[in-house]
Every structure is written in structure tokens, then in C-alpha cells.
Amino acid sequence: MSKTKVVIVGASHGGHQSILELLKRYDDVDIKLFEAGDFVSFMSCGMELYLENSVTGVNDVRNFSPSDFSDNKNVEILNNHQVTKINSDKKTVTVVNTKDQNSQEYPYDKLILSSGVNPKPIPVPGNDLKNVFLMRGYDWATQIKAKLEDPEVKNITVVGAGYIGIEAAEASVKAGKNVTLLDVIDRPLGTYLDKEMTDILEKHLEDKGVKVLTGVNIKEYTGSDKVTAIKTDKKEIPSDLVIQAAGVQPNTDWLKGTVELDNRGWIKTNEYLQTNLDDVYAIGDATLAYSIPADNHVPIALATVARREARYVVKHLFEKNPALPFSGVVGSSALSVFDYHFTESGLNSFTAKRSNVDIKTSFYQGSLRPAYVPAGKDNPTVYVQLFFNPSSHVLLGGSVLSTYDITAQGNVLALAIQHKLTVEDLADADFFFQPGFDRQWSILNVAAQHALGETDF
């Protein structure tokens, strides 16, 4: 009896988890994973650690190596192989070997698309100059690292003040460079946090030596061979290196006319993560994920989302009618900004507006531990923001910020949002108390009580 042929496109988190789930659940599968790149599979979320010399080596910053599955006859991983077409009538994919440009068709019984996203270059004159880099993937990581170690590179401009841009700016400052951080919106991290928290972080960035310029439109990268400056609508910025971190776009051009996409190129799936093609599924960054708090399908480019979707797809891969739809995700992340640490989960004011969700917000500031512990390093200020439905008080989002690492509180918020707890539930939740760690009421208890108009403990 022949084995069921499962083809996976893309070797990042979704592709990796798909292999793990297939091997765990089924014995009679023939798995082929195609990766267009040479290196399998670099974790771009670990790039800052690599740039700051905090990893064992650049070749270790990966989800897995093909050698991890070399002893398994059911798995074949082909790097430098780009899938260019789905032939749904024949149930094959056309694959080009990027080394010799030879093309071959491979059959599939089930096809899992985890094609991911590509970084967005800024479409202005001069974006093809030398020393204009993107911050994603193995090749760009090694090139940026070389520039951080180059004494001739003194002025670095980072375009985009989201997570990746903040990481690039911090790594560049720690490498001793003069750093300018640009963004077209009015504040850094403005799509992740509300103004109460971004004001704190913007000042902290500037205190650490980052020149923050927001509300800026780039007109041109200038230089004869390599970049020397950026012209904006506000000023010209000397730049020996430009790191572009201005968002991502789905890697789906090759799917146009075959797989149903929205007008921005994101893959559309139904409630079972199936595409419009029979036996073709889509997971990960290139898809529109079902957001529990938004009750809508939105782009959520997170490793956690891709892995949960892969787990669901493989579990139900051979069910004609899956017993349950995919339950959705919350969307949670965390980041360090020099001395500060924050985590955010679910919606905020920006993402709620984008999804047409009505929210109410509450911002709380207090100490981590009891008042009898002196304020300072061991008893810092903690900031908590909660977002909830104005009528039902169901939690829809939240964020926590402090110089003390309490990012694990983000997992509490994520679980509360996933299970549709209310502000009242969080206010009364039974958390531990030990004065070496927290207050008589946990910081999330107190923040929820504050949202309900109660007097601070």
C-alpha cells in the first residue's frame, strides 16, 4: 500500500510543526518539504540576540536542521527548491531547483502552504544602493553583523519602529553606532501599544541615545554607489547603513489566479484552514488568522500562531468533515526595549479600530510589590493597560510594561482573553501572594479593580 504524499511549502515554524505533527500522528505518510532558501530554517526573531553576541552561533539560530530528520525515511527536506505553481487538476506542484534552474513536478495527496512573508523594501529612489539592508533571514543577519563590527560604519538609520526596527536600533546602539529611528506613524511601536506606554518607551529610547523621528516620509536614499544619507520631508539624515524594517508582505504572488487571496495578497481560508482548492491548506504568516478578540480574520505574523494552526491542520488532515473548526488565536508577543520589558496580547486601540471593534480601555500605574518594600530596582513601577467590551466587560486585550521582567503576565492575559473572561473575573482571580514577588493583590487583580473604578489597595 502506497504512502499518503504530503507536501509542505516553507520551512519556518509552520512547516516545522507540520512535520512534527505528521510524524507523531501517522505512520503511512511520505513527507516532502520544499524551502526556497539555502538555510533551513533561520529564526529571524532571534536576530537581535545574534547581533548582540548572545547566541552560540549564527548557524544555531534556527528551528531545525535537515539533519534532524535524516534518519527518518518518511521525511525529505529540499532546500534551494522553490515551489512556483500548484497544478490542482493533476494534484502536483511545480518546483524549481534554484541552483541549476531545473524544474520538476511532485505529486501530493495533501498540500500544506506555509509560504510566509517577505520584508517590505521602501519604494523610493536609491533603495538599490549598497548598504541598504533588510532585517530578515540568515543572509541579511550576517551582513548586518559585519556592518555592526565595521568601524567605518558610524551612522545607522533604521526605517520602521515596530518590533524589528526597535531590535535593530538597540543592537546598533550597543555596537557603538549613532542611531536614528524613523517611522511614518506618530510614535514608535504605535501598532502594538497605546500612547500611555509608547510615551514611556520613546523617552527611554532617546535616553539611551536613539534619535527618534516620527511622522516622517522618506523621499530618497542618496549616494553615488553606497548610501550616504536619507532625504525625508523633514530633514536629511547622514547614513552609512540603512536597515529597513518597515513591515512585511505575504509571499503569495506565485499563488495569484490559483489560490484565493484578498486584495492585499493574504491567503483566504475557511474555518478549517482549507483554501479554495481541494486538499490544500494554508497556515502561518501569509494567511488571515482568526482572531478570537476581534472575531475576525486578520494578519497575525507570529510563530505561535503558525504552530497552533499547523497542529490543528495535521490533526484533522484526513477528516472529510473536521469535527471542529479552528478555535482561533489571541495573538500575543513580548519585547525588551533596553531596560524595559513589555508584553501585549489581543487587541489595542489601533487594532480594535482596524477591526471595527468597540472597546473600553483602562490604564493603571502602580508598584510591583507592597509599599513597605522601597521603590527602586526590586520594587519598580508597573504599567498595565486593559481593553474590554464596554457592555459585557469581556477582556479583548491587554499589555504590561516595567523595568522588571513580568512578561509572563502576558500569558495570563492571553489565557483570559482566549477563554473570554471578564474584567470582573480578572479582578477576583485567585493568584498567589508572596511579598518577594508581588502585592497582596496581584498586579493584574489591581489593574482590573482599577478598571472597575475601585480604589487602589
Side-chain angles (χ1 to χ4, degrees), residues 28 36 88 127 152 167 171 174 178 221 330 348 356 389 406:
D28 56 346
S88 58
N127 68 358
E152 297 298 315
E167 290 179 336
K174 290 178 179 177
N178 301 316
Y221 299 143
V330 172
N348 55 48
N356 297 313
N389 182 291
I406 56 168

Side-chain angles (χ1 to χ4, degrees), residues 229-281:
I230 297 180
K231 287 184 179 179
T232 76
D233 57 350
K234 292 187 176 180
K235 62 186 295 187
E236 184 169 311
I237 304 159
S239 306
D240 303 312
L241 173 66
V242 174
I243 301 175
Q244 300 179 109
V248 295
Q249 54 197 9
N251 178 23
T252 57
D253 282 350
W254 64 284
L255 295 172
K256 289 179 179 177
T258 304
V259 171
E260 188 176 359
L261 311 173
D262 79 347
N263 58 6
R264 295 170 298 169
W266 304 101
I267 301 172
K268 289 185 175 182
T269 61
N270 64 12
E271 66 269 36
Y272 307 115
L273 305 185
Q274 300 164 337
T275 71
N276 58 300
L277 301 179
D278 290 341
D279 295 317
V280 179
Y281 305 77

Side-chain angles (χ1 to χ4, degrees), residues 286-444:
T287 70
L288 295 169
Y290 174 61
S291 163
I292 295 171
D295 190 24
N296 195 7
H297 287 82
V298 297
I300 306 178
L302 292 170
T304 50
V305 172
R307 289 189 178 274
R308 281 158 180 76
E309 290 177 335
R311 185 178 177 89
Y312 170 85
V313 163
V314 174
K315 182 177 180 181
H316 300 282
L317 194 61
F318 299 107
E319 296 178 14
K320 184 176 181 180
N321 296 303
L324 294 169
F326 179 61
S327 61
V329 294
V330 172
S332 304
S333 59
L335 186 70
S336 292
V337 183
F338 290 100
D339 298 334
Y340 275 95
H341 315 280
F342 77 83
T343 180
E344 59 87 27
S345 187
L347 301 180
N348 55 48
S349 292
F350 176 85
T351 53
K353 183 177 180 180
R354 187 171 61 187
S355 291
N356 297 313
V357 175
D358 190 20
I359 62 167
K360 188 173 182 179
T361 181
S362 172
F363 181 75
Y364 175 76
Q365 173 181 334
S367 63
L368 178 63
R369 295 168 62 194
Y372 57 77
V373 179
K377 179 181 178 182
D378 294 326
N379 190 16
T381 301
V382 178
Y383 308 91
V384 182
Q385 194 141 34
L386 299 176
F387 305 92
F388 51 96
N389 182 291
S391 300
S392 66
H393 284 191
V394 169
L395 287 161
L396 300 175
S399 52
V400 175
L401 171 70
S402 180
T403 54
Y404 196 91
D405 187 0
I406 56 168
T407 50
Q409 297 285 9
N411 289 328
V412 179
L413 288 171
L415 193 63
I417 297 163
Q418 180 178 358
H419 290 278
K420 300 183 179 180
L421 301 187
T422 64
V423 179
E424 287 81 358
D425 291 328
L426 189 60
D428 293 336
D430 186 8
F431 301 130
F432 77 86
F433 163 60
Q434 212 290 334
F437 298 96
D438 65 357
R439 295 160 58 164
Q440 294 92 327
W441 285 95
S442 169
I443 194 70
L444 291 184

